[in-house]
Amino acid sequence: MVNYWLDLFTGTTWDEFRNAGANVSGFRESRKNTVAKIAKGDILLCYITGIMHWVGALEVIGPSNDVRKIWQDSDTSESLQFSIRLEVKPIIMLDPEFGVQMKDLEGKISFYMEPSDRRGFKGFLRASPTKLKEDDGKLIYELIREAENNPIAKKIDPSKLKRIPSYMIKSGGEKKAVTVPDAEDEMPSNECKIIKNIDYTDHTRIQYYLLDLGSKMGLNVWVAKNDRSKSFKNNSFESIPRMINELPTQFNEATQKTIELIDVLWLKGNSIIAAFEIESTTSIYSGLLRMSDLIALQPNLEINLYLVAPEQRSDKVKKEILRPTFECLAKPLSTVCGYISFHELEDKVSKIQDLGIASYLNPSFLDELAEYFNAAED
């Protein structure tokens, strides 16, 4: 019986794998016992993180003694050279833009049955290799084959193909992959140039869209205490219907002060159901710190968290959200805080307004927009 296994790549490591002959796939030392369960003839299904595309199928030949530096990261540590290796034979290999989009699998595979499963896909994509259920594996394989036979290019963001170096640490008795942004990542020169071209009202505009949308959905809305006097196109925040002046007093003082400064909240009755931090010209880190504080203060609190930022900052968001300080929380921030780009949000809001369907929406639609990051294992 053929088993199907997940094989994770970034756009960079996929290119490096192919450039090296596409005959050796490697995994971290920590996955040694799992790799030992993979048999000759099993199939590795290749998935590129970031762009979320399935791009290949590899037949396993057996263990490999190949010791080449296939993955050309500047860090030469064994963990980043994926020292546990298998000899493979390519069955299907696609260029990233021709891959099968994960979003097309919603409701068809066990780890993505509904929009909320995008929050890490039930943990399935956090490490490779991982064995797929037989039906899931067969379906994904068939779709990759179909994509090969009927190639259709999809628009992809080149920045999402880049590798973001990750490092293995021990936390709470288990190993976790984290990222450590370089010093220049705090505000790199090219990002400064981009940010200078962004209107300083972007934060206010996105804030207004979220407040207005939440209100039209029949939810109570809250804006950060220090932003209550703002307005957008002569529409004052305080005049938005269902804007509340006080938050439910169900938390301790530290939690209350943290929540009061979050950019936008959606509430249903006394329950906060979604929290949004908007980062356009400020450091991504500041918004994530508030989210982190909230999780640390209330680890059992079930609130959907979202960081909303320009699409050109998605790489920065990923680097920051996978910092050790966030990844080592009882609930890693990357599993509960989704990233939504300005473009995706504004496009969705525009369509909702055109169709006049805001009052029929469930807040879970946000999970169709949000992207959840993890440190790639391959």
Side-chain angles (χ1 to χ4, degrees), residues 3-119:
N3 291 313
Y4 296 88
W5 301 82
L6 170 69
D7 197 353
L8 288 174
F9 292 84
T10 64
T12 302
T13 58
W14 181 241
D15 283 344
E16 291 168 342
F17 163 75
R18 296 172 76 180
N19 291 338
N23 56 7
V24 174
S25 189
F27 306 92
R28 295 185 189 274
E29 176 72 27
S30 61
R31 306 297 292 176
K32 183 176 181 178
N33 292 339
T34 303
V35 174
K37 298 176 183 178
I38 300 176
K40 180 179 180 180
D42 282 356
I43 294 175
L44 306 180
L45 297 176
C46 308
Y47 178 80
I48 295 182
T49 61
I51 62 169
M52 304 171 71
H53 282 196
W54 297 90
V55 293
L58 313 172
E59 180 184 347
V60 176
I61 305 302
S64 172
N65 294 320
D66 193 303
V67 294
R68 289 175 295 159
K69 185 180 178 182
I70 295 173
W71 294 278
Q72 303 300 316
D73 194 278
S74 58
D75 188 319
T76 57
S77 66
E78 184 180 41
S79 67
L80 289 180
Q81 275 307 303
F82 311 115
S83 58
I84 307 303
R85 300 184 174 189
L86 293 173
E87 182 182 351
V88 297
K89 180 174 72 174
I91 302 173
I92 309 167
M93 291 196 300
L94 305 176
D95 290 335
E97 63 269 27
F98 292 99
V100 176
Q101 297 174 298
M102 179 67 93
K103 68 179 184 179
D104 293 337
L105 296 177
E106 182 184 336
K108 301 175 183 177
I109 51 177
S110 61
F111 53 90
Y112 189 18
M113 292 304 296
E114 53 190 38
S116 61
D117 289 336
R118 280 176 59 91
R119 295 172 173 274

Side-chain angles (χ1 to χ4, degrees), residues 114-355:
E114 53 190 38
S116 61
D117 289 336
R118 280 176 59 91
R119 295 172 173 274
F121 298 101
K122 299 182 178 178
F124 185 77
L125 300 179
R126 292 191 69 81
S128 71
T130 302
K131 187 177 178 181
L132 287 94
K133 291 184 177 180
E134 184 178 2
D135 289 346
D136 292 344
K138 285 182 177 179
L139 175 61
I140 294 170
Y141 178 82
E142 289 169 2
L143 291 174
I144 296 172
R145 175 67 76 188
E146 183 180 329
E148 179 188 43
N149 294 333
N150 300 286
I152 299 175
K154 294 90 174 175
K155 185 178 180 180
I156 58 176
D157 181 351
S159 69
K160 293 184 178 181
L161 290 171
K162 295 187 298 183
R163 170 198 279 133
I164 297 177
S166 61
Y167 307 89
M168 299 304 294
I169 64 168
K170 284 188 176 181
S171 173
E174 62 177 306
K175 289 186 176 181
K176 295 184 177 182
V178 301
T179 64
V180 181
D182 297 328
E184 60 268 24
D185 284 339
E186 297 305 324
M187 185 58 81
S189 58
N190 63 333
E191 187 171 355
C192 285
K193 293 176 184 176
I194 293 171
I195 298 305
K196 285 179 182 177
N197 292 328
I198 293 178
D199 190 326
Y200 275 98
T201 63
D202 272 5
H203 184 281
T204 302
R205 186 181 76 253
I206 297 298
Q207 214 169 6
Y208 177 79
Y209 286 159
L210 287 168
L211 292 167
D212 184 59
L213 177 59
S215 173
K216 289 176 178 175
M217 289 170 62
L219 302 171
N220 291 333
V221 293
W222 167 272
V223 66
K225 288 186 73 173
N226 51 325
D227 292 334
R228 299 191 74 82
S229 62
K230 289 185 177 180
S231 62
F232 176 67
K233 291 186 176 180
N234 296 320
N235 297 301
S236 71
F237 285 1
E238 291 182 315
S239 67
I240 293 174
R242 307 185 72 89
M243 173 69 71
I244 59 175
N245 296 315
E246 292 185 4
L247 286 170
T249 56
Q250 54 183 300
F251 305 112
N252 58 43
E253 186 177 2
T255 303
Q256 200 77 8
K257 286 184 177 295
T258 300
I259 292 175
E260 287 176 352
L261 293 175
I262 291 176
D263 285 328
V264 173
L265 299 174
W266 287 356
L267 301 93
K268 191 171 185 178
N270 287 330
S271 299
I272 300 171
I273 59 174
F276 305 87
E277 280 288 348
I278 303 157
E279 302 291 359
S280 55
T281 60
T282 56
S283 167
I284 297 295
Y285 196 60
S286 61
L288 292 177
L289 273 177
R290 249 190 303 276
M291 300 293 198
S292 173
D293 288 345
L294 182 57
I295 293 173
L297 289 165
Q298 299 289 335
N300 297 320
L301 194 62
E302 295 295 333
I303 297 179
N304 295 329
L305 307 177
Y306 302 98
L307 187 84
V308 189
E311 48 270 27
Q312 63 263 38
R313 304 194 84 190
S314 63
D315 194 43
K316 172 70 170 170
V317 172
K318 181 174 182 179
K319 288 181 180 180
E320 294 293 352
I321 205 168
L322 291 169
R323 279 177 179 260
T325 191
F326 300 138
E327 198 65 4
C328 294
L329 291 167
K331 284 184 182 177
L333 194 58
S334 61
T335 66
V336 295
C337 182
Y339 160 70
I340 301 175
S341 75
F342 282 6
H343 173 75
E344 291 281 354
L345 178 66
E346 291 179 283
D347 183 59
K348 189 70 172 181
V349 168
S350 177
K351 290 176 180 176
I352 290 169
Q353 290 176 339
D354 290 345
L355 295 171

